[in-house]
Structure formats: structure tokens, C-alpha cells
Amino acid sequence: MVRLPEPTPVPPNVHINGTSSHSEEDENASKERFSVPALQLQIQDLKHPGATRFLNAVNATDSLTTGTLNLLKLLYRKPSDAETTVPPTSSVTLILENFPGVAYTVGSGADNNVKEIHFSLPYIAQINPSRIAEEIDGVITHELVHCFQYNGHGAAPGGLIEGIADWVRLHCNLSPPHWKQEVTENWDAGYQHTAYFLEFLEQRFGRGTVRRINEKLRGSKYHERDFWMELFGQEVEELFTEYTQSLQ
Ligand SMILES: [Zn+2]
């Protein structure tokens, strides 16, 4: 899910290196290409101003393909990676329709492998024209993460799931201008708040940390204390305290 942005635009004060880098490992990974599932586009109301703006701003095939490949690289590194398992998502349908809010993703089919991303036409209609393509791609990338991420057998906090989706969006250089690092009360406040905390962990424990978090959400049911202790030897509250101290 993507919620409505907060009203005050503040420039982000964190620098993210993006998805590209030049290590030998990456060069090997880039030779392999993840397979992209079947992609579909449905537009419920072609006369809606949001539909016209969407079609003028982006190429849906490119947006869905690029978003999928970017998130797969960040969460699964390469197709033959022995340490991760890409979920067997069989298709993604992007549905532009008239509803309040921004976007949400649902799964269906035998193994929940058939995904639908619902994207709000009224939301698209009101995006600032100067950054419409970036915002559409940012929302699509966030929702695509939900099509390919794990959730600790349904037990992970929603804030962690949303944080991983926005961490990917951050690393694709698609973060909206109102995002900023700020102290929040809880590590699982979600969205960009948890995304910046995850980025702190990625920098502190090394590249691939969020990938390890996602992989652990596949392997076992989420139990908060065990989950973080087994990954980092520390409780999440302790890590979060370090993070908030680093902001001061
Ligand atoms: Zn979401």
C-alpha cells in the first residue's frame, strides 16, 4: 500500500548510492537476467483525466519491467543466488481505477502467485506535472515489491513490509521530495520511516542486509526477538536506538 504524502515538502537529507555499482560481484550478477512474469494493464475508465496523464507520462511495459528487475536485484541479487529464493509470482496486473487513496496490491491464485496492483486514477490526476513519471514509477516500484517480498509467514509487522517496499523505492532513486529522515517513536512506523532505518542497517551491517532480512522472512515465521537476535545479535529496539542517536 502507498499512503497519501504528508503536506510539507522537505528535501531528503540522505544520499543513496542507487542500484548501480561496480564490484566484480555485480558484474557477474548483471550477466544473468531475472525472468519477468506475465504483465497486464487494465484501465477501467479511459476518459478519466488520470488515465490520459498516465498514458502520456510512462510506458507501462517499461515501468513494470524496470521496476521488477530493479527490486529483484535488490532483494535477490541474481537468479542463481544460492542464498535467496525468488517467489513464484506468475503474473502482475496493473489496474488503473477510480478509488480514494493511492495504491494497494492483492494476491490470488493457488499459491497467491497472481498479483493485482490497484492504482488510483484520481491520485494520478493530481500528481505535480513536473515529476509525474517519477511518482508513477515510484508507486509502481513500491507495489511491485509487495508482489515479490516475503512476510514472515504472515506474522511480520506491516511497518516492516512497507519499510522494505520504500527502501527499494529509495534505492531506485524514486523517493518523493517530501521524504526525510526524522526521529519516529517506533522502528516499525513503516514507509520511509522504516526504510531509512533499514538503510542504516544496510550501511552498518553491509550491503545485502535488507536482502537477508527479506530472506529470513521467507524461511521462518516472524518472532520479533529471535528474528533480530539471529540476524544481528541485537534486539531491534537497541538497533533503532542506535539509529535515532545517529540522527542527532
Ligand atoms: Zn505498500
Coordinates of all heavy atoms in Angstrom, one line a residue, residues 8 21 26 55 86 136 151 158 162 172 175 177 180 194 198 217 229 238:
T8 N 3.9 18.8 4.0 CA 5.0 19.7 3.9 C 6.2 19.1 3.1 O 6.7 18.1 3.6 CB 5.6 20.0 5.3 OG1 4.5 20.2 6.2 CG2 6.4 21.3 5.3
S21 N 26.6 -0.1 -9.1 CA 27.9 -0.1 -8.5 C 28.8 -0.9 -9.4 O 28.4 -1.4 -10.4 CB 27.9 -0.6 -7.1 OG 27.9 -1.9 -7.1
D26 N 28.9 -7.6 -8.8 CA 27.8 -7.1 -9.5 C 27.9 -7.3 -11.0 O 26.9 -7.5 -11.7 CB 27.7 -5.6 -9.3 CG 27.2 -5.2 -7.9 OD1 26.3 -6.0 -7.5 OD2 27.6 -4.3 -7.3
L55 N -1.0 7.6 -19.4 CA -0.5 7.1 -20.7 C 0.5 8.1 -21.4 O 1.4 7.7 -22.1 CB -1.7 6.9 -21.6 CG -2.6 5.7 -21.2 CD1 -3.9 5.7 -22.0 CD2 -1.9 4.4 -21.4
V86 N 13.6 -16.5 -5.1 CA 12.6 -15.5 -5.7 C 11.2 -16.2 -5.6 O 11.1 -17.4 -6.0 CB 12.9 -15.2 -7.1 CG1 11.9 -14.2 -7.7 CG2 14.3 -14.6 -7.3
I136 N 4.8 8.1 -10.6 CA 4.1 6.9 -11.0 C 5.1 5.7 -10.9 O 4.7 4.6 -10.4 CB 3.7 7.0 -12.5 CG1 2.5 8.0 -12.6 CG2 3.3 5.7 -13.1 CD1 2.0 8.3 -14.0
N151 N 6.8 -12.3 4.0 CA 6.2 -11.6 5.1 C 6.3 -12.4 6.4 O 5.5 -12.2 7.3 CB 4.8 -11.2 4.8 CG 3.9 -12.5 4.6 OD1 4.3 -13.6 4.8 ND2 2.7 -12.2 4.1
G158 N 3.4 -5.0 9.7 CA 3.1 -4.3 8.5 C 4.1 -3.2 8.2 O 4.4 -2.9 7.0
E162 N 6.1 -2.6 4.7 CA 6.0 -1.3 4.0 C 7.4 -0.6 3.9 O 7.7 0.1 2.9 CB 5.0 -0.3 4.6 CG 3.6 -0.9 4.6 CD 3.0 -1.1 3.2 OE1 3.5 -0.5 2.2 OE2 2.0 -1.8 3.1
C172 N 16.0 3.0 -5.8 CA 15.8 3.2 -7.2 C 15.8 4.7 -7.5 O 15.4 5.0 -8.6 CB 14.5 2.5 -7.6 SG 14.6 0.7 -7.5
S175 N 12.5 8.3 -4.6 CA 11.8 8.8 -3.4 C 11.2 10.2 -3.7 O 11.8 11.0 -4.3 CB 12.8 8.8 -2.2 OG 13.9 9.6 -2.6
P177 N 9.9 14.1 -3.0 CA 10.6 15.1 -2.3 C 10.2 15.3 -0.8 O 11.0 15.9 -0.1 CB 10.2 16.4 -3.1 CG 9.1 16.0 -4.0 CD 9.1 14.5 -4.1
K180 N 11.9 12.5 4.3 CA 13.1 12.9 5.1 C 13.4 12.0 6.2 O 12.4 11.3 6.7 CB 13.0 14.3 5.6 CG 11.8 14.5 6.5 CD 11.8 15.9 7.1 CE 10.5 16.0 8.0 NZ 10.5 17.1 8.9
T194 N 10.6 3.5 8.3 CA 11.3 2.2 8.4 C 12.3 2.0 7.3 O 13.4 1.4 7.5 CB 10.3 1.1 8.5 OG1 9.4 1.3 9.6 CG2 10.9 -0.3 8.6
L198 N 16.1 0.8 7.8 CA 16.7 -0.3 7.1 C 17.9 0.1 6.4 O 18.9 -0.6 6.3 CB 15.6 -0.9 6.1 CG 14.4 -1.5 6.7 CD1 13.4 -1.9 5.7 CD2 14.8 -2.8 7.5
L217 N 12.5 -13.6 6.3 CA 11.0 -13.5 6.3 C 10.4 -14.7 5.5 O 9.2 -15.0 5.6 CB 10.5 -12.2 5.8 CG 10.8 -11.0 6.7 CD1 10.5 -9.7 6.0 CD2 10.0 -11.1 8.0
M229 N 17.7 -11.0 16.8 CA 18.9 -11.5 17.5 C 19.6 -12.5 16.6 O 20.9 -12.4 16.5 CB 18.4 -12.3 18.8 CG 18.0 -11.4 19.9 SD 19.3 -10.3 20.5 CE 20.4 -11.4 21.4
E238 N 17.2 -2.0 20.3 CA 18.5 -1.5 20.5 C 19.1 -0.9 19.2 O 19.7 0.2 19.2 CB 19.4 -2.7 21.0 CG 20.6 -2.4 21.7 CD 21.4 -3.7 22.0 OE1 20.8 -4.8 22.1 OE2 22.6 -3.6 22.0

